[in-house]
CSV table of all heavy atoms in Angstrom, one decimal:
chain,number,residue,atom,x,y,z
A,216,VAL,N,35.9,12.4,25.0
A,216,VAL,CA,36.6,11.1,24.8
A,216,VAL,C,35.9,10.4,23.6
A,216,VAL,O,36.6,9.8,22.8
A,216,VAL,CB,36.4,10.2,26.1
A,216,VAL,CG1,36.9,8.8,25.8
A,216,VAL,CG2,37.1,10.8,27.3
A,217,THR,N,34.6,10.5,23.6
A,217,THR,CA,33.9,9.8,22.4
A,217,THR,C,34.4,10.4,21.1
A,217,THR,O,34.6,9.7,20.1
A,217,THR,CB,32.4,10.1,22.6
A,217,THR,OG1,31.9,9.6,23.8
A,217,THR,CG2,31.7,9.3,21.5
A,218,LYS,N,34.6,11.7,21.1
A,218,LYS,CA,35.1,12.3,19.9
A,218,LYS,C,36.5,11.8,19.5
A,218,LYS,O,36.7,11.4,18.3
A,218,LYS,CB,35.2,13.8,20.1
A,218,LYS,CG,35.7,14.6,18.8
A,218,LYS,CD,35.6,16.1,18.9
A,218,LYS,CE,35.9,16.8,17.6
A,218,LYS,NZ,36.8,16.1,16.7
A,219,ALA,N,37.3,11.6,20.5
A,219,ALA,CA,38.7,11.1,20.2
A,219,ALA,C,38.5,9.6,19.6
A,219,ALA,O,39.3,9.3,18.7
A,219,ALA,CB,39.5,11.1,21.4
A,220,ILE,N,37.6,8.9,20.2
A,220,ILE,CA,37.4,7.5,19.7
A,220,ILE,C,36.9,7.5,18.3
A,220,ILE,O,37.3,6.8,17.4
A,220,ILE,CB,36.5,6.7,20.6
A,220,ILE,CG1,37.1,6.5,22.0
A,220,ILE,CG2,36.1,5.4,20.0
A,220,ILE,CD1,36.2,5.9,23.0
A,221,ARG,N,36.0,8.5,18.0
A,221,ARG,CA,35.4,8.6,16.7
A,221,ARG,C,36.4,8.9,15.7
A,221,ARG,O,36.5,8.4,14.6
A,221,ARG,CB,34.2,9.6,16.7
A,221,ARG,CG,33.7,9.9,15.3
A,221,ARG,CD,32.5,10.8,15.3
A,221,ARG,NE,31.3,10.1,15.7
A,221,ARG,CZ,30.6,10.3,16.8
A,221,ARG,NH1,31.1,11.3,17.6
A,221,ARG,NH2,29.5,9.7,17.1
A,222,ASP,N,37.3,9.9,16.1
A,222,ASP,CA,38.3,10.3,15.2
A,222,ASP,C,39.5,9.4,15.1
A,222,ASP,O,40.5,9.7,14.5
A,222,ASP,CB,38.9,11.7,15.7
A,222,ASP,CG,37.8,12.8,15.6
A,222,ASP,OD1,36.7,12.5,14.9
A,222,ASP,OD2,38.0,13.8,16.2
A,223,GLN,N,39.4,8.3,15.9
A,223,GLN,CA,40.5,7.3,15.9
A,223,GLN,C,41.8,7.9,16.3
A,223,GLN,O,42.8,7.7,15.6
A,223,GLN,CB,40.6,6.6,14.5
A,223,GLN,CG,39.2,6.0,14.1
A,223,GLN,CD,39.4,5.0,13.0
A,223,GLN,OE1,39.8,5.3,11.9
A,223,GLN,NE2,39.1,3.7,13.3
A,224,ASP,N,41.8,8.6,17.3
A,224,ASP,CA,43.0,9.3,17.9
A,224,ASP,C,43.3,8.6,19.2
A,224,ASP,O,42.9,9.1,20.3
A,224,ASP,CB,42.7,10.8,18.0
A,224,ASP,CG,44.0,11.5,18.5
A,224,ASP,OD1,44.9,10.8,19.0
A,224,ASP,OD2,44.0,12.7,18.4
A,225,PRO,N,44.0,7.5,19.2
A,225,PRO,CA,44.3,6.7,20.4
A,225,PRO,C,44.9,7.5,21.5
A,225,PRO,O,44.6,7.4,22.7
A,225,PRO,CB,45.3,5.6,19.9
A,225,PRO,CG,45.1,5.5,18.5
A,225,PRO,CD,44.7,6.9,18.0
A,226,ASP,N,45.9,8.4,21.1
A,226,ASP,CA,46.6,9.2,22.1
A,226,ASP,C,45.7,10.1,22.9
A,226,ASP,O,45.7,10.1,24.1
A,226,ASP,CB,47.7,10.0,21.4
A,226,ASP,CG,48.8,10.2,22.4
A,226,ASP,OD1,49.3,9.3,23.0
A,226,ASP,OD2,49.3,11.4,22.4
A,227,ALA,N,44.9,10.8,22.1
A,227,ALA,CA,43.9,11.7,22.8
A,227,ALA,C,42.9,11.0,23.6
A,227,ALA,O,42.6,11.4,24.7
A,227,ALA,CB,43.2,12.6,21.7
A,228,ALA,N,42.4,9.9,23.1
A,228,ALA,CA,41.5,9.1,23.9
A,228,ALA,C,42.0,8.7,25.2
A,228,ALA,O,41.4,8.8,26.3
A,228,ALA,CB,41.1,7.8,23.1
A,229,ASN,N,43.3,8.2,25.2
A,229,ASN,CA,43.9,7.7,26.4
A,229,ASN,C,44.0,8.9,27.4
A,229,ASN,O,43.6,8.8,28.5
A,229,ASN,CB,45.3,7.2,26.1
A,229,ASN,CG,46.0,6.6,27.3
A,229,ASN,OD1,46.0,7.2,28.4
A,229,ASN,ND2,46.7,5.5,27.1
A,230,ARG,N,44.5,10.0,26.9
A,230,ARG,CA,44.8,11.2,27.7
A,230,ARG,C,43.5,11.7,28.3
A,230,ARG,O,43.4,11.9,29.6
A,230,ARG,CB,45.5,12.3,26.9
A,230,ARG,CG,46.2,13.3,27.7
A,230,ARG,CD,47.1,14.2,26.9
A,230,ARG,NE,47.2,13.8,25.5
A,230,ARG,CZ,46.6,14.3,24.5
A,230,ARG,NH1,45.7,15.3,24.7
A,230,ARG,NH2,46.7,13.9,23.2
A,231,ARG,N,42.5,11.8,27.5
A,231,ARG,CA,41.3,12.4,28.0
A,231,ARG,C,40.6,11.5,29.0
A,231,ARG,O,40.0,11.9,30.0
A,231,ARG,CB,40.3,12.7,26.8
A,231,ARG,CG,40.8,13.9,26.0
A,231,ARG,CD,40.0,14.1,24.7
A,231,ARG,NE,40.6,15.0,23.8
A,231,ARG,CZ,40.2,15.2,22.6
A,231,ARG,NH1,39.1,14.6,22.1
A,231,ARG,NH2,40.8,16.1,21.8
A,232,MET,N,40.6,10.2,28.7
A,232,MET,CA,39.9,9.3,29.6
A,232,MET,C,40.7,9.3,30.9
A,232,MET,O,40.1,9.2,32.0
A,232,MET,CB,40.0,7.9,29.0
A,232,MET,CG,39.3,6.8,29.9
A,232,MET,SD,37.6,7.1,30.2
A,232,MET,CE,36.9,5.9,29.1
A,233,SER,N,42.0,9.3,30.8
A,233,SER,CA,42.8,9.3,32.0
A,233,SER,C,42.4,10.5,32.9
A,233,SER,O,42.2,10.4,34.1
A,233,SER,CB,44.3,9.4,31.7
A,233,SER,OG,45.1,9.3,32.8
A,234,ARG,N,42.3,11.6,32.3
A,234,ARG,CA,41.9,12.8,33.0
A,234,ARG,C,40.5,12.7,33.6
A,234,ARG,O,40.3,13.0,34.8
A,234,ARG,CB,41.9,14.0,32.0
A,234,ARG,CG,42.5,15.3,32.6
A,234,ARG,CD,42.5,16.4,31.6
A,234,ARG,NE,41.2,17.2,31.8
A,234,ARG,CZ,41.2,18.4,32.4
A,234,ARG,NH1,42.3,18.9,32.8
A,234,ARG,NH2,40.1,19.0,32.6
A,235,HIS,N,39.6,12.2,32.8
A,235,HIS,CA,38.2,12.0,33.3
A,235,HIS,C,38.2,11.1,34.6
A,235,HIS,O,37.6,11.6,35.6
A,235,HIS,CB,37.4,11.4,32.2
A,235,HIS,CG,36.0,11.0,32.6
A,235,HIS,ND1,35.2,11.8,33.4
A,235,HIS,CD2,35.3,9.9,32.4
A,235,HIS,CE1,34.1,11.2,33.7
A,235,HIS,NE2,34.1,10.0,33.1
A,236,VAL,N,38.7,9.9,34.5
A,236,VAL,CA,38.5,9.0,35.6
A,236,VAL,C,39.3,9.5,36.8
A,236,VAL,O,38.9,9.4,38.0
A,236,VAL,CB,39.0,7.6,35.2
A,236,VAL,CG1,38.0,6.9,34.3
A,236,VAL,CG2,40.4,7.6,34.7
A,237,HIS,N,40.4,10.2,36.5
A,237,HIS,CA,41.2,10.8,37.7
A,237,HIS,C,40.4,11.9,38.4
A,237,HIS,O,40.3,11.9,39.6
A,237,HIS,CB,42.5,11.3,37.2
A,237,HIS,CG,43.4,11.7,38.3
A,237,HIS,ND1,44.1,10.7,39.0
A,237,HIS,CD2,43.9,12.9,38.8
A,237,HIS,CE1,44.8,11.3,39.9
A,237,HIS,NE2,44.7,12.6,39.8
A,238,THR,N,39.8,12.7,37.6
A,238,THR,CA,38.9,13.8,38.2
A,238,THR,C,37.8,13.2,39.0
A,238,THR,O,37.6,13.5,40.1
A,238,THR,CB,38.3,14.7,37.1
A,238,THR,OG1,39.4,15.1,36.2
A,238,THR,CG2,37.6,15.8,37.7
A,239,TYR,N,37.2,12.2,38.4
A,239,TYR,CA,36.0,11.5,39.0
A,239,TYR,C,36.5,10.9,40.4
A,239,TYR,O,35.9,11.1,41.4
A,239,TYR,CB,35.5,10.5,38.1
A,239,TYR,CG,34.2,9.8,38.6
A,239,TYR,CD1,33.0,10.4,38.4
A,239,TYR,CD2,34.2,8.6,39.3
A,239,TYR,CE1,31.8,9.8,38.8
A,239,TYR,CE2,33.1,8.1,39.8
A,239,TYR,CZ,31.8,8.7,39.5
A,239,TYR,OH,30.7,8.1,40.0
A,240,ALA,N,37.6,10.2,40.3
A,240,ALA,CA,38.2,9.6,41.5
A,240,ALA,C,38.4,10.6,42.6
A,240,ALA,O,38.0,10.4,43.8
A,240,ALA,CB,39.4,8.8,41.2
Side-chain angles (χ1 to χ4, degrees):
Chain A
V216 176
T217 307
K218 181 170 187 332
I220 293 176
R221 172 174 284 112
D222 297 345
Q223 304 196 295
D224 184 344
D226 206 48
N229 185 318
R230 200 169 352 102
R231 291 174 190 172
M232 180 63 102
S233 183
R234 222 182 91 105
H235 169 47
V236 290
H237 191 71
T238 308
Y239 187 85

